[in-house]
Amino acid sequence: MDDSIEAYILRHSDAEGELLGQLNRETHVKHLRPRMLSGHLQGRILKMLCRMIAPKRILELGTFTGYSALCMAEALPPDGEIHTVEIDDEIEDFARTYFDRSPYRDRIYFHIGDALEVVPRLEGLFDLVFIDADKRRYTDYYRLVFDRVRPGGFILADNTLWDGKVAAASPSTDAQTNGILRFNELVASDDRVEKVILPLRDGLTLIWKK
């Protein structure tokens, strides 16, 4: 997206708020891959999608510094909850600091560990799942969470255009690109769901379970 267009969009959309603004800036200063953070525009879109879907239980795979979890938590009802799973224990203290400062901290359950091990230990169904973790394992995550999503629920998957590499003319040798390609083909061929890829940032796939 052209920078001037994105700037215009942000000026005419809700602000991210002081806490998220601080988290955004500090992530860029202190972490090596700040691009992994959802950011202002995607954060507001995630919140709006949650307003529309009205989930009471959200599962997120891939917390990073907590920006997307905080955005989705804003749209939860007082008795709602979001379970967010992060494999990198070195980022735990940083993310928890921001979760603890949030007025929605009582709705956020932060799990450190491999999602393939953590999710089977969680009880109940989810209304919405947001996948934004290891791209090489997206198909594993999809299969992992599918039966944990209620009928009529949603799965959102981030980075599904992967800098346009998914449409490259020559075959990719990159493991992450191939992981996204496998995931996109799996979802496209799954008649149990309706799906659409939004060209938002690096691609956001919306999946509705029939």
Side-chain angles (χ1 to χ4, degrees):
M1 183 186 300
D2 181 270
D3 289 345
S4 63
I5 293 296
E6 182 169 354
Y8 180 88
I9 290 171
L10 294 178
R11 287 197 305 272
H12 293 81
S13 301
D14 284 347
E16 60 185 346
E18 183 177 352
L19 182 65
L20 288 172
Q22 291 175 3
L23 173 55
N24 198 336
R25 289 189 294 274
E26 194 170 3
T27 298
H28 279 79
V29 169
K30 294 186 176 180
H31 295 275
L32 293 177
R33 292 175 291 173
R35 191 171 181 269
M36 291 171 59
L37 180 137
S38 289
H40 184 176
L41 177 57
Q42 184 168 341
R44 293 305 88 193
I45 290 173
L46 288 173
K47 179 184 177 182
M48 185 65 75
L49 288 171
C50 289
R51 287 284 190 220
M52 296 164 65
I53 297 168
K56 288 192 69 174
R57 300 192 79 225
I58 298 173
L59 172 63
E60 176 183 52
L61 307 184
T63 311
F64 191 42
T65 56
Y67 192 99
S68 53
L70 288 169
C71 291
M72 292 186 286
E74 291 181 44
L76 283 170
D79 60 343
E81 59 187 49
I82 176 169
H83 292 261
T84 182
V85 184
E86 174 57 48
I87 197 169
D88 184 1
D89 59 0
E90 293 185 357
I91 212 165
E92 179 179 5
D93 289 345
F94 182 91
R96 283 196 188 279
T97 297
Y98 278 90
F99 289 158
D100 290 344
R101 293 169 57 191
S102 168
Y104 312 107
R105 56 187 172 273
D106 293 338
R107 306 175 194 179
I108 301 172
Y109 296 84
F110 190 18
H111 307 271
I112 293 293
D114 187 331
L116 297 178
E117 298 175 1
V118 172
V119 173
R121 299 198 296 263
L122 302 179
E123 297 181 356
L125 297 178
F126 292 92
D127 305 300
L128 184 150
V129 175
F130 180 44
I131 301 175
D132 189 16
D134 186 347
K135 314 310 168 192
R136 295 167 295 185
R137 303 168 80 184
Y138 262 35
T139 56
D140 295 331
Y141 298 144
Y142 184 72
R143 294 186 176 104
L144 173 71
V145 305
F146 193 87
D147 290 338
R148 305 297 302 275
V149 178
R150 66 167 176 80
F154 284 80
I155 300 171
L156 312 181
D158 201 13
N159 306 117
T160 49
L161 295 179
W162 204 233
D163 281 331
K165 294 177 184 178
V166 294
S170 57
S172 173
T173 59
D174 174 65
Q176 296 195 74
T177 302
N178 284 323
I180 294 293
L181 286 168
R182 289 193 301 271
F183 173 79
N184 288 344
E185 291 301 320
L186 174 63
V187 174
S189 63
D190 192 346
D191 61 7
R192 300 171 298 173
V193 300
E194 293 181 5
K195 76 288 291 185
V196 61
I197 299 178
L198 301 181
L200 169 68
R201 292 188 71 213
D202 205 16
L204 180 67
T205 300
L206 312 184
I207 303 164
W208 178 73
K209 182 177 177 180
K210 298 178 181 178

